[in-house]
Amino acid sequence: IGAIESARQPVGERRVEEGGSAVPDPEWVRPRSVWLITAPDRSEQADALMQQLRYFGFKPVDVHWDEPLPEAEAPLAVLFIPGVTPTIDQQLEQIAVVRAAVPASQLFYIGVERAMEPVVAVMRAGIDVTVSSDDQSSMVLTRILDLVQTHEQEKYRVLVVEDSRVAAALIKRTLSEHNIDSMNVSDPSALIETVATYRPDLVLMDMYMPRFNGVEATRVLRQVAGQQAMPIVYLSSESDIGMQVEALRLGGDQFLTKPFNPVLLAAVVRTKIERYREAMRSTRTDGLTGLLNHTASKARLKQMVELMPSHGNLCVAMLDIDHFKSINDTFGHPVGDQVIRGLAWLLKGRLRASDLIGRYGGEEFILALPDATPERATAVIERIRRDFAALPHAHMEGTLYSTFSAGVACTLHYSTPSELTEAADNALLEAKRKGRNRVINACG
C-alpha cells in the first residue's frame, strides 16, 4: 500500500512529512566555520552563498572588508568576495593579514579574472584557490566539501632497503624528524613479503647489497601486481651518470647520492608520496560526485571492519534515490546528475571525515559510521533524509524535489562486510516496499 501511495505522487513534487521523527536530531558533526570577507556591493551574493553553506552543515560568518577579524578558532576556509571597492592593493593587503592570522585555513578568492597576472597577484598574497565568476556557486561548494571529506591521511610509510645498520638508522631518524614512518629491510630477499604486509608509499633502495643489487630488487618488485607505480628512490654513492640513467630506466623514479642532505631527502620523499597518493586517489573516486567508487568503497569498508576494536561498533547504510529513473525520464539526465550531486554534497557536509561515503553505483550510495549505535546511526541518516527531501533542485522549468530510502545494519548483529552490506540492502528493499522516503534498521 505504501509503495502504491508513493507511486501516485508526481515525480519531482515536494513530499510533505507526516509528523516528526521518532528519534531526536543527533549532534553528529560540529558545524565547521567558514568566514566570508565581503565587499559592500556583494552582500546579496554573500547572503546566497551563506544560505547554501548553512544548509550543507557549515557555520558561515560574514566579515566586511574594513572590520577586524573574528576572535574565534581558525575557520575551515575563508572566502574573499571582492567588489568595486576596496582597491586591489587594499584587497591584497587584507588577504596577507588573513593569511598570517589563520595560516592553516584554505583561502578562496571568488570572481578572479582568468589571466596570469591577477591570479599570481592574489596567490602571492596568500590565496590557495581562485574561482572565476563563471562557476562560483558549485565550484566553491565542491571545493569546501572536499576539504571536509579529506580524510586525515595515514602517516606516510617508507620502506628502507639498506644492509648497513648505520645508514639505515640515519635514514630512519631523518624521516622520523619529518613525521614519516619507516621500516628497514636489511635483506632484499624479504622485500616482496614486507611490501605486502607493511604497504609502504615509497621504497628507499640502496644500490649495492649482498646477494641482490638495488636494480635487480626493483625489477622484481615491479613484477608484483599493484606495485608498478609505487615510487622507488635509489640511495647510493654511485656517481657514474650512465649507471644512474640505467638504474632509472629499469624501474627507479629518482636517484639520490650518498651522503644525502636530510632536508632534500625528506622533501623528495614527501613530494613523491603526495603525488603517488593523489594518483591512487584519482582511480578510487567517482567522477560525478568525488566520492569513493564501488571498488574503493568495498575495500575501505573491509579495512574499517578489520581495524575495528573488539569492543567497537560500526554501522553501514545503503541509500537509494527514490524513483530516479522517472527523474531522468521526466527532466533529463543532467538534472538527474544534479540530484545525485546534491545528495553527495549533503552527505559530505553532514558526516564526519572518518565516516565512509561512497557512490555504490548509479543512484545508490553506501555509508559506514564507526563508533555509532544502531539508534544513533539511524537518527543521523533520518536527519539527512528529511533535509534532502527539502532540498530544491533547480532546472530549466522550475524546481523539483527528491527523496531517498535507506537501510541500516550494524556489527552488533552482522560481523563481516558482506553480511553488513547484504543486511543493509535488505533493509533498503523493505523501506522501498513500505512506501520509500524512509529509513529501516535491520536490527529492529
Side-chain angles (χ1 to χ4, degrees), residues 189-203:
S189 63
L191 181 61
I192 295 176
E193 294 79 5
T194 308
V195 165
T197 55
Y198 183 58
R199 297 184 297 111
D201 298 296
L202 179 143
V203 173

Side-chain angles (χ1 to χ4, degrees), residues 22 26 55 77 85 111 134 145 209 214 244 264 330 342 348 390 405 424 428:
Y55 192 88
T85 58
D134 300 332
L145 287 163
M209 296 173 289
Q244 293 184 14
L264 178 61
T330 305
K348 286 180 182 180
S405 304
L428 168 62

Side-chain angles (χ1 to χ4, degrees), residues 165-220:
R165 290 186 179 181
V166 175
L170 179 59
I171 294 169
K172 286 174 66 67
R173 184 169 69 248
T174 298
L175 296 176
S176 177
E177 288 172 354
H178 291 82
N179 199 33
I180 299 172
D181 187 58
S182 62
M183 179 178 182
N184 182 54
V185 174
S186 57
D187 183 0
S189 63
L191 181 61
I192 295 176
E193 294 79 5
T194 308
V195 165
T197 55
Y198 183 58
R199 297 184 297 111
D201 298 296
L202 179 143
V203 173
L204 281 175
M205 183 79 72
D206 185 24
M207 275 289 286
Y208 298 108
M209 296 173 289
R211 301 178 63 193
F212 309 105
N213 63 40
V215 174
E216 290 170 333
T218 297
R219 295 185 69 185
V220 171

Side-chain angles (χ1 to χ4, degrees), residues 153 157 199-202 222 225-231 271-286 290-293 295-297 299:
Q153 293 288 325
R157 295 182 300 275
R199 297 184 297 111
D201 298 296
L202 179 143
R222 292 302 191 208
Q227 304 303 332
Q228 290 83 0
M230 183 174 62
T271 303
K272 293 286 184 185
I273 291 177
E274 285 169 4
R275 291 178 179 170
Y276 173 64
R277 286 192 172 185
E278 186 59 37
M280 292 298 100
R281 192 177 298 116
S282 66
T283 66
R284 299 169 64 244
T285 54
D286 167 62
L291 301 177
L292 293 178
N293 59 27
T295 302
S297 296

